[in-house]
Amino acid sequence: MRAKRLPWRERIEVIAALLDRLLNLGLFLFGLLIFAYAAYALWDDASIGASAFSDRNLKQYKPVLEAEEPGFEELRSLNPDVVGWISIPGTNIDYPIAQGRDDLEYAEKDIFGNPSITGSVYLAAKNASDFSDDYSILYGHHLDNGAMFGDIDLFAETDFFENHREGLLVTPETVYDLRFVACIHTDAYEGAVYSLTRGGNAVSPGLLSYIREHADVLDEEGLEEADKLVALSTCANATTNGRIVLFAVAT
């Protein structure tokens, strides 16, 4: 017996209903894909941010001032570009310092020389690797979770600055006490802050004047004693080329 064919109008309605179901299914699957991607992106960001903290694996190489081991010998055997270690109590800043051939190398490599978008804390390429310059610049990425140099912006607040004035810079040759004297917002191309030369960098009157004029917080008396100055520079999220720089007198 021959099956009866549906009228054209009913066939169109059936096809439209089927297409509508397929469209809804497609939208559901697309939404599910977007959700999965967003969840992965959040997980990936969290994993990357967490990996940027100075963890137990890294801190096993931290120099122990009262003993010779573990110290720079082991860490420098893994990466001869390591030139020091910086620690600031009350912050997440507790990292070895590398120095690359230029100021981009360790912005994209971890302390062991592996590719890393969180990079390392590193000394400017034009500075003396033994920190014998009177003015040295350290760079680190600004991570929102406080890793690397993400805590530098806290020093722009007077209360935090006043309660976190000291740090420690250890090199294979010397141990420097750091006393923070100023925190400023500036631009990545500001010559007064970022101009360095190979073969000696002094604390210039122009730099001191610029710090005084642009400081968010300032210890004027401490700055006057700045025979040896170390700058910690990181990005400021508010502007593309914005930078936050924390200055410390090293003794």
Side-chain angles (χ1 to χ4, degrees):
M1 184 176 178
R2 189 174 181 180
K4 185 178 179 181
R5 300 182 65 182
L6 292 173
W8 277 105
R9 180 176 294 178
E10 293 185 22
R11 277 189 278 172
I12 291 174
E13 291 177 351
V14 170
I15 293 172
L18 179 61
L19 291 175
D20 186 60
R21 289 184 181 180
L22 290 174
L23 178 60
N24 288 334
L25 179 61
L27 290 174
F28 172 76
L29 293 175
F30 181 73
L32 188 62
L33 180 64
I34 293 298
F35 174 80
Y37 177 78
Y40 170 78
L42 290 172
W43 173 84
D44 189 51
D45 286 345
S47 298
I48 291 172
S51 68
F53 286 106
S54 186
D55 59 13
R56 182 179 301 178
N57 179 55
L58 185 58
K59 287 182 179 178
Q60 68 177 311
Y61 301 109
K62 183 177 180 178
V64 179
L65 301 184
E66 296 79 13
E68 294 184 2
E69 295 292 344
F72 285 106
E73 294 80 7
E74 188 175 1
L75 186 53
R76 295 182 85 175
S77 70
L78 298 173
N79 184 359
D81 289 341
V82 172
V83 296
W85 193 292
I86 185 168
S87 303
I88 303 178
T91 75
N92 291 304
I93 300 172
D94 192 14
Y95 293 99
I97 303 165
Q99 186 179 42
R101 292 163 294 183
D102 55 50
D103 290 340
L104 294 177
E105 182 175 355
Y106 278 95
E108 300 176 347
K109 290 166 61 173
D110 67 19
I111 200 65
F112 302 109
N114 302 312
S116 170
I117 64 173
T118 59
S120 302
V121 173
Y122 59 95
L123 176 65
K126 290 183 178 180
N127 273 131
S129 61
D130 60 357
F131 287 86
S132 58
D133 286 343
D134 288 335
Y135 180 51
S136 301
I137 304 176
L138 297 177
Y139 295 97
H141 285 306
H142 184 283
L143 274 68
D144 290 338
N145 63 359
M148 303 307 293
F149 273 3
D151 281 343
I152 293 294
D153 56 359
L154 298 176
F155 286 87
E157 301 296 329
T158 301
D159 288 346
F160 190 90
F161 178 84
E162 293 297 340
N163 289 290
H164 300 82
R165 296 295 302 276
E166 297 179 352
L168 199 66
L169 172 62
V170 183
T171 79
E173 297 83 17
T174 311
V175 177
Y176 293 103
D177 291 315
L178 301 178
R179 178 71 174 174
F180 302 115
V181 293
C183 185
I184 69 171
H185 280 76
T186 187
D187 184 272
Y189 301 102
E190 177 51 57
V193 177
Y194 293 107
S195 291
L196 296 172
T197 60
R198 296 188 184 276
N201 291 285
V203 179
S204 69
L207 172 61
L208 297 179
S209 296
Y210 186 87
I211 293 172
R212 291 186 176 99
E213 292 172 7
H214 295 83
D216 296 303
V217 290
L218 174 66
D219 174 5
E220 175 64 39
E221 184 178 344
L223 189 64
E224 289 179 357
E225 301 173 356
D227 294 328
K228 192 176 188 67
L229 205 60
V230 177
L232 285 64
S233 175
T234 193
C235 293
N237 290 334
T239 55
T240 302
N241 296 317
R243 296 293 184 269
I244 304 173
V245 187
L246 177 64
F247 292 92
V249 173
T251 56

